[in-house]
Amino acid sequence: MINPHNISKVFSDLILNKFPFNRPSLINAEEQSIARNLYKCLNSILQSNSYIFENETTLAHDDDLYDLDLEDTAPEAAALEHPNESTDIDYLPIDEHNLEKSFSLDYMKRAVEYFDEKDPLTGQRKRNWCTVKHIFRRIPNSHCISRFRKYVENGGTKKQKVDDVDTFVYDQFENARHQFLPVHDIDLRRWSLKKARELNLHDFEASHTWLLGFKYRHRISSRKITQLVTRKHIESRDEINQSADTFVLETNKLIENYNSSEVLNTDQVGINLELVGNRTLTHMGEQSTWCSVRSTNNTTHSYTIQSTIALNGTVFGPLYVCLKEPSGRISDRIKKNLFNAKNIVLTCSKSGKLTSSLVTYWRDHCLVPNLISKTLLLVDSFPSHANPEVYKDLKNFEHRVIPPKTTSFIQPLDVYYNRQYKMILRRVYDHVRLDEIDINLAERNNIIKLQSLVHSQMCSTVFQPMIKYAWHKSRFLKDDPGPFQNVKQVCFSIETDKCYVKDCIDGPMIRCSWCQQELCFSHFFLCYHYH
């Protein structure tokens, strides 16, 4: 029994061996038609009980183009049994009134050159129409050769020239974006007009319609620039990518020796005292979009949190929070009145950032108490975390340092988790400002309380597939966890207009990821809805 997939595999191998590999491009109409006809042929063979391959030879010829005896063409006809690169590979239905739509410029060139080739001894054409028809079977009649010759002399048809302009402009665009250079509509038009002049395409205008069509075909749109880099960074990008690939490859070999619950990733994140969402609904055409905050000073001052997640999709241990205190310590008087959250390990520093001693404190109070078996920990290149001395006394413990400048695409926390975590924080801050709730979320106790609630929400089992996706996208988890729900879908797809608490008339702000109850700000935050 014939296996069509085996045929496809062999055919693909023959193509790769016969023709050089070109840069991937969009599939055009000609290629689609060729594929469909090949499929019809293969399907016909598979549905038949028997099949025979034949080579047909004919003595028919065109009197107008008869030059040499048919015997002279025997070697050419014999070559049909062993096709080479001159053999027809473009297949499309022929429209004799619009040859430019049926034949590529390269096909026309090959046909004309093959037909016009002369014998150096006699000075006459080496081949007659019969021979040309054998090699270029798609050409309907001999009169097409003269039309081909005219198209070739003009550098192709208008459609082919427009296609060349399209290819040139896209190549220029790709080159510019590869170097992270800004590109605008005026640049696309400038490149297209330059190429059109080179091709003597004088009636090409790079109109607004052409520009829209070009961007639609190549999936190009205007985007806000979110990060600035130097040329030095661009030049070192290949080196950065190589170091990331090497790290992932080596780490995946180590992961094979661990259970998914034993592979961890930890990362510290700065949190502003007042968070602001980066998007809002507003009027179309608005020249400048403003956002009100309670304190601009709080939008620039921050404290630090440190989360840890496991390869099995769970959140590991408590959340480590480092507050900013001018004296670098919290007095005993303040400690007595601090909000007590069992999932928070609290510390402080003058800057609100972690020091070497604070990383050691994290190790002793967040990491070690929750270790059960051997562990592989992935950390970034932050000196205190990467310092081997921090982990030297731990048994059955191994840590690996993620290469610098690669954390944005191979550290699971950076790749997806941290952004989802911050979404809940931003929504709470936005809600407090919008409803003019009289509460200062920048105060110590409110910071601790809010971080405790958000950490609790992220520990829900509903987010395990999402956390696994962060590992998968970072290339440390081979199997795709499949469809999952993110924070917006779970916590902020509100379906009711009232809080679930009886007699509460306030509208819901968040849906609990544990109990699925929709809660107003008071019953979520003030009443401390903790799971």
Side-chain angles (χ1 to χ4, degrees):
M1 182 177 179
I2 298 176
N3 187 338
H5 296 285
N6 290 342
I7 297 174
S8 175
K9 176 66 168 60
V10 174
F11 182 71
S12 178
D13 292 342
L14 290 172
I15 292 294
L16 290 174
N17 294 333
K18 185 68 177 176
F19 303 101
F21 178 76
N22 294 322
R23 180 174 62 83
S25 61
L26 294 176
I27 299 175
N28 58 39
E30 293 183 64
E31 292 163 342
Q32 290 178 343
S33 180
I34 293 171
R36 282 194 293 268
N37 282 281
L38 287 173
Y39 170 76
K40 290 179 182 178
C41 292
L42 177 59
N43 190 45
S44 176
I45 292 173
L46 294 176
Q47 293 180 357
S48 302
N49 295 326
S50 62
Y51 51 90
I52 300 174
F53 292 107
E54 293 184 352
N55 287 323
E56 179 183 354
T57 303
T58 178
L59 296 178
H61 61 275
D62 192 313
D63 292 337
D64 295 335
L65 297 176
Y66 181 75
D67 289 324
L68 302 176
D69 294 334
L70 289 177
E71 287 76 10
D72 295 336
T73 69
E76 306 293 343
L80 293 175
E81 298 179 3
H82 306 283
N84 54 33
E85 294 182 357
S86 297
T87 305
D88 174 21
I89 61 173
D90 302 314
Y91 185 85
L92 269 178
I94 308 302
D95 181 357
E96 294 188 36
H97 299 289
N98 295 288
L99 292 180
E100 68 275 10
K101 296 182 179 179
S102 303
F103 300 96
S104 66
L105 180 61
D106 178 67
Y107 185 95
M108 295 182 188
K109 286 181 179 179
R110 288 190 286 113
V112 171
E113 290 173 358
Y114 188 77
F115 177 75
D116 287 346
E117 186 177 358
K118 295 184 178 181
D119 189 321
L121 298 178
T122 63
Q124 295 180 323
R125 281 198 297 268
K126 293 176 62 175
R127 307 174 184 91
N128 61 16
W129 168 242
C130 174
T131 305
V132 174
K133 181 64 176 176
H134 271 302
I135 304 301
F136 298 91
R137 298 187 178 187
R138 291 180 53 226
I139 303 177
N141 56 64
S142 60
H143 301 292
C144 292
I145 295 294
S146 60
R147 294 174 64 181
F148 283 4
R149 188 178 290 107
K150 183 180 297 184
Y151 286 138
V152 171
E153 290 173 353
N154 292 332
T157 65
K158 179 177 179 179
K159 178 182 181 301
Q160 290 162 349
K161 291 180 179 180
V162 171
D163 289 342
D164 288 343
V165 170
D166 187 284
T167 301
F168 173 80
V169 174
Y170 185 70
D171 287 342
Q172 292 291 102
F173 170 79
E174 282 282 273
N175 181 60
R177 289 308 300 145
H178 183 72
Q179 301 179 62
F180 298 124
L181 298 174
V183 182
H184 304 285
D185 286 358
I186 191 173
D187 300 307
L188 300 180
R189 295 190 70 253
R190 177 166 51 85
W191 290 331
S192 65
L193 292 171
K194 175 185 176 183
K195 187 62 177 179
R197 286 195 299 270
E198 293 177 1
L199 298 174
N200 294 320
L201 192 60
H202 301 297
D203 56 349
F204 181 81
E205 298 179 352
S207 64
H208 180 67
T209 302
W210 175 87
L211 188 62
L212 289 177
F214 176 86
K215 292 193 290 186
Y216 177 80
R217 286 191 299 276
H218 298 290
R219 296 179 60 82
I220 296 172
S221 64
S222 178
R223 300 292 298 273
K224 179 182 178 181
I225 295 174
T226 58
Q227 185 174 355
L228 299 177
V229 295
T230 63
R231 180 170 292 275
K232 181 179 180 181
H233 175 85
I234 296 172
E235 293 171 350
S236 62
R237 186 172 46 168
D238 291 339
E239 183 180 341
I240 293 172
N241 290 337
Q242 181 61 44
S243 65
D245 293 341
T246 301
F247 179 83
V248 170
L249 182 63
E250 294 175 350
T251 303
N252 281 334
K253 292 180 180 178
L254 292 175
I255 288 177
E256 296 175 358
N257 302 321
Y258 293 86
N259 294 324
S260 59
S261 61
E262 299 169 341
V263 182
L264 308 176
N265 174 219
T266 190
D267 183 37
Q268 55 180 314
V269 179
I271 304 293
N272 291 336
L273 293 175
E274 183 172 357
L275 288 174
V276 183
N278 53 11
R279 304 190 74 86
T280 181
L281 296 177
T282 188
H283 298 291
M284 295 181 63
E286 189 175 69
Q287 292 184 351
S288 180
T289 301
W290 291 19
C291 180
S292 169
V293 294
R294 293 187 173 179
S295 170
T296 56
N297 184 61
N298 285 345
T299 63
T300 58
H301 289 68
S302 64
Y303 57 95
T304 301
I305 65 171
Q306 184 169 335
S307 303
T308 305
I309 58 175
L311 185 61
N312 65 354
T314 60
V315 177
F316 178 88
L319 180 71
Y320 191 46
V321 178
C322 177
L323 298 179
K324 180 180 179 180
E325 296 291 338
S327 63
R329 60 183 296 273
I330 300 176
S331 67
D332 294 336
R333 181 182 60 82
I334 295 176
K335 285 182 180 179
K336 291 179 181 180
N337 298 316
L338 282 178
F339 183 83
N340 182 26
K342 62 182 180 180
N343 64 339
I344 298 291
V345 173
L346 185 68
T347 187
C348 68
S349 68
K350 290 183 178 181
S351 63
K353 297 178 173 59
L354 299 182
T355 61
S356 297
S357 61
L358 292 180
V359 171
T360 303
Y361 189 86
W362 164 82
R363 177 200 65 190
D364 296 336
H365 293 80
C366 295
L367 180 64
V368 174
N370 294 282
L371 294 179
I372 299 176
S373 57
K374 62 180 181 179
T375 302
L376 173 64
L377 176 67
L378 307 185
V379 298
D380 59 21
S381 55
F382 178 66
S384 298
H385 274 131
N387 186 2
E389 294 296 317
V390 175
Y391 314 102
K392 69 176 183 178
D393 295 329
L394 301 182
K395 296 181 180 180
N396 299 320
F397 186 91
E398 186 175 4
H399 82 286
R400 285 184 59 77
V401 180
I402 299 173
K405 301 180 181 180
T406 65
T407 55
S408 61
F409 54 96
I410 66 169
Q411 172 159 258
L413 283 164
D414 276 348
V415 166
Y416 200 78
Y417 180 87
N418 288 340
R419 186 166 66 253
Q420 296 295 312
Y421 188 99
K422 286 183 177 180
M423 178 180 288
I424 302 179
L425 295 175
R426 286 195 177 97
R427 289 295 183 96
V428 173
Y429 275 90
D430 287 347
H431 184 85
V432 167
R433 285 190 295 263
L434 189 62
D435 283 17
E436 299 181 345
I437 299 174
D438 187 18
I439 189 170
N440 183 6
L441 293 178
E443 290 180 353
R444 292 186 192 88
N445 281 348
N446 289 333
I447 289 174
I448 298 170
K449 193 174 184 179
L450 179 57
Q451 291 296 340
S452 173
L453 287 170
V454 176
H455 182 265
S456 171
Q457 290 294 307
M458 298 300 289
C459 288
S460 171
T461 55
V462 74
F463 289 129
Q464 286 187 9
M466 182 189 77
I467 297 174
K468 286 183 178 180
Y469 171 76
W471 287 92
H472 173 71
K473 192 174 181 181
S474 304
R475 297 184 287 165
F476 296 112
L477 184 64
K478 295 181 181 178
D479 297 330
D480 191 333
F484 63 88
Q485 290 183 298
N486 59 23
V487 165
K488 181 179 180 180
Q489 294 166 322
V490 173
C491 296
F492 298 107
S493 296
I494 307 298
E495 298 178 353
T496 62
D497 60 349
K498 290 184 179 180
C499 174
Y500 96 100
V501 177
K502 187 177 180 180
D503 297 329
C504 179
I505 62 174
D506 290 335
M509 180 202 70
I510 189 172
R511 179 195 293 144
C512 176
S513 62
W514 288 92
C515 62
Q516 301 301 307
Q517 300 293 347
E518 297 182 353
L519 302 157
C520 66
F521 175 80
S522 296
H523 287 103
F524 174 72
F525 183 80
L526 298 180
C527 296
Y528 191 55
H529 186 81
Y530 179 86
H531 281 269

